Amino acid sequence: MPNYWNEAMECMDPEEMRKLQDERLMQTVKRVYENVPFYRKRMDEAGITPEDIHGVEDLPKLPFTTKADLRDYYPFGTFAAPMEDIVRIQASSGTTGKQIIAGYTQNDIDNWDECVARGLTSIGVTRKDKVHVSYGYGLFTGGLGAHGGASKVGAAVVPASVGNTKRQMTLLHDLQSTTLCCTPSYALHLAEALQEVGLTKEDLNLQYGVFGAEPWTEAMRTEIENKLGLKAYDIYGLTEVLGPGVSMECSEKQGMHIQADHFIAEIVDPDTFEPLPAGQEGELVFTTITKEGMPMIRYRTKDLTVLHTERCACGRTSPRMEKIRARTDDMLIIRGVNVFPSQIESVILRHAEVEPHYMIYVDRVDNTDTLEIHIEVNETTFSDQVKKLEDLAREISADIQSVLGIKAAVLLVEPRSIQRSEGKAVRVIDKRKLYK
Ligand code: AMP
Ligand code: ZN
């Protein structure tokens, strides 16, 4: 039996939930209009007042908020609570420019912990579990977010943070932790360390993996599950909106349940920004409806996904989002064709001879875009004859071409020659950007 979940909220009748969202949205809009000059200015410019917002159906009237806005009002310009009520500051990872600061009141932290606790409970984690957290602790929301949720469940939390991978593996073994929280790329790295310290997955006691902070494919899920002997679940979030726990998969693995009593999700067309119906892919947009420290109105995440609103087999009624296919700003345009790294990843993982460690290089030579993919081969394949390796590279290259519609040069590289990541993996080097 789950020992931490909020049945009233998670299984609420959708119409009731809608009413709750209407009410909370109106309060939020009023609060930000009164307390945050940035939002007041935006709403004034759009010619709307809080009285024009009667509920979720009026959301499209409100202006979007973007990362650029948060940078312009850095560091505290979008806070809606006085500093004496702020109890925590976190920051976004800052991979795409200057970092964003987020402020939380105690209520915000309590809600955050509950969101993560609901997610962990939905996959079966209880107070009897030992939860090893290998997300980075610090300004990055991963470590403290997972920590807070696991503590709320009452599990024994091991705050391992990142780094010293072999020692982490020894800890996982010695403490027989049941749950691992980290980025999917770090999970693979840990799986390698398992071999290095001479252990097998049977020597561990892992049952659940809670992986997020970066896009990962279904093929990657299978790979990690096989290597670590656990069930891998996706957890999603972003600093601007909360941190991890905005949504998470339940044991059904049919999309990530969004905590609808705290966040309203919309999908919009990434080019026109017009709202799209459930079932269609587009950019995910969030409005927070309980946050006090830094509420967000229609925050454009740049993450591409699809929403589903039918009740899940687990009984929860909350809307679910599919795995993030990509970020709009991760999309590469190569010789005019849109390419997402996840498409390349799925092809790579179909080939047993190579490892899921790869790096995509894009360049421009003689005015033509080039795409080169370095992929690690496994130890057995590496000792094969050159001819066999050449055939394999050709085969993968042909597969990639059939998926992307453009040619890619595939270079098979030695085992362990591609840099491992401890947090969010960097998988693309676009040299064209250097010339700009
Ligand atoms: P940050 O708040 O800076 O740590 O990063 C938030 C971003 O990380 C999101 O907008 C997504 O692009 C990405 N992200 C977080 N969780 C996931 C996930 N489960 N799948 C794919 N991308 C994710
Ligand atoms: Zn479910």
Side-chain angles (χ1 to χ4, degrees):
M1 269 302 281
N3 67 354
Y4 201 96
W5 76 318
N6 191 331
E7 187 175 0
M9 290 300 160
E10 294 179 75
C11 300
M12 189 180 273
D13 171 70
E15 264 184 38
E16 287 298 308
M17 178 54 79
R18 178 77 178 223
K19 281 189 206 145
L20 181 70
Q21 289 187 333
D22 286 345
E23 211 173 285
R24 292 186 171 179
L25 174 66
M26 285 191 285
Q27 284 164 5
T28 299
V29 170
K30 194 163 174 292
R31 254 168 55 77
V32 299
Y33 191 80
E34 285 166 5
N35 295 297
V36 188
F38 157 70
Y39 283 118
R40 186 163 54 242
K41 183 164 171 271
R42 275 299 162 83
M43 285 173 59
D44 287 347
E45 280 165 4
I48 46 169
T49 66
E51 287 68 48
D52 296 320
I53 306 299
H54 304 286
V56 180
E57 64 180 27
D58 292 326
L59 259 185
K61 292 183 186 165
L62 290 161
F64 291 106
T65 307
T66 63
K67 218 177 191 102
D69 295 326
L70 302 188
R71 286 201 182 115
D72 289 347
Y73 286 80
Y74 174 89
F76 305 129
T78 51
F79 283 21
M83 198 49 78
E84 59 257 41
D85 291 339
I86 300 290
V87 300
R88 176 92 66 80
I89 305 272
Q90 304 273 173
S92 79
S93 37
T95 43
T96 55
K98 190 171 167 185
Q99 63 183 2
I100 300 294
I101 295 291
Y104 304 76
T105 64
Q106 188 55 51
N107 249 340
D108 294 338
I109 298 284
D110 294 344
N111 287 337
W112 185 7
D113 291 348
E114 174 164 341
C115 286
V116 177
R118 288 182 191 175
L120 291 174
T121 303
S122 77
I123 62 168
V125 175
T126 72
R127 57 200 299 271
K128 293 188 184 146
D129 283 288
K130 282 170 250 159
V131 180
H132 182 107
V133 180
S134 298
Y135 285 113
Y137 278 65
L139 287 170
F140 171 54
T141 52
L144 287 164
H147 187 106
S151 304
K152 186 123 187 168
V153 169
V157 193
V158 185
S161 196
V162 287
N164 206 337
T165 305
K166 276 192 190 156
R167 197 186 63 148
Q168 299 234 12
M169 204 25 92
T170 310
L171 259 182
L172 278 170
H173 170 258
D174 294 353
L175 307 186
Q176 292 288 290
S177 296
T178 56
T179 309
L180 171 64
C181 304
C182 59
T183 58
S185 49
Y186 195 58
L188 277 179
H189 191 17
L190 281 167
E192 263 177 359
L194 183 67
Q195 282 182 335
E196 278 164 24
V197 295
L199 295 171
T200 67
K201 61 184 177 189
E202 284 74 29
D203 296 317
L204 303 181
N205 189 27
L206 283 175
Q207 293 171 42
Y208 314 103
V210 182
F211 305 130
E214 63 186 10
W216 51 307
T217 55
E218 282 300 329
M220 184 70 94
R221 185 194 320 254
T222 312
E223 182 88 22
I224 297 173
E225 289 189 333
N226 291 339
K227 286 192 164 156
L228 285 174
L230 46 68
K231 284 188 182 150
Y233 299 94
D234 202 350
I235 184 166
Y236 170 87
L238 63 168
T239 313
E240 297 86 329
V241 171
L242 181 80
V246 170
S247 66
M248 185 174 154
E249 282 179 329
C250 67
S251 47
E252 299 291 326
K253 293 181 179 165
Q254 292 295 317
M256 294 177 265
H257 284 277
I258 297 168
Q259 304 300 344
D261 49 328
H262 298 291
F263 314 103
I264 304 175
E266 294 173 88
I267 294 286
V268 300
D269 183 305
D271 300 316
T272 64
F273 308 123
E274 285 304 315
L276 293 174
Q280 278 193 33
E281 186 180 271
E283 182 176 343
L284 185 60
V285 171
F286 278 111
T287 299
T288 67
I289 48 174
T290 53
K291 263 181 87 191
E292 299 172 340
M294 197 172 95
M296 277 294 119
I297 303 290
R298 301 193 88 202
Y299 185 71
R300 281 186 42 210
T301 63
K302 297 206 167 181
D303 294 320
L304 292 174
T305 188
V306 180
L307 287 185
H308 295 283
T309 51
E310 319 80 56
R311 176 193 288 265
C312 177
C314 74
R316 290 175 180 79
T317 49
S318 40
R320 281 164 291 146
M321 51 187 263
E322 288 184 11
K323 280 178 102 53
I324 300 288
R325 191 161 65 89
R327 287 182 57 81
T328 50
D329 44 11
D330 280 349
M331 187 181 80
L332 298 159
I333 303 181
I334 303 171
R335 278 168 252 149
V337 176
N338 297 350
V339 172
F340 286 106
S342 58
Q343 295 173 290
I344 296 174
E345 181 177 300
S346 343
V347 174
I348 293 174
L349 285 163
R350 289 210 290 262
H351 294 266
E353 306 89 336
V354 298
E355 293 292 321
H357 299 289
Y358 60 94
M359 188 65 92
I360 300 167
Y361 294 91
V362 187
D363 203 349
R364 182 164 294 146
V365 180
D366 296 335
N367 290 319
T368 307
D369 296 331
T370 60
L371 170 63
E372 185 171 295
I373 306 164
H374 293 192
I375 313 169
E376 278 186 23
V377 288
N378 62 29
E379 297 283 354
T380 343
T381 315
F382 188 59
S383 49
D384 273 349
Q385 295 154 347
V386 177
K387 165 88 178 57
K388 267 196 171 169
L389 285 171
E390 282 171 1
D391 288 346
L392 177 62
R394 249 194 305 277
E395 193 185 310
I396 299 178
S397 171
D399 274 4
I400 290 176
Q401 183 165 4
S402 73
V403 170
L404 302 183
I406 53 166
K407 250 195 157 77
V410 167
L411 196 73
L412 297 176
V413 299
E414 271 183 53
R416 294 176 201 208
S417 58
I418 288 176
Q419 168 133 33
R420 303 294 187 257
S421 86
E422 295 184 338
K424 295 177 192 249
V426 175
R427 294 218 167 88
V428 180
I429 296 178
D430 191 342
K431 295 186 188 159
R432 297 173 303 181
K433 288 190 178 153
L434 301 175
Y435 313 138
K436 276 188 184 158

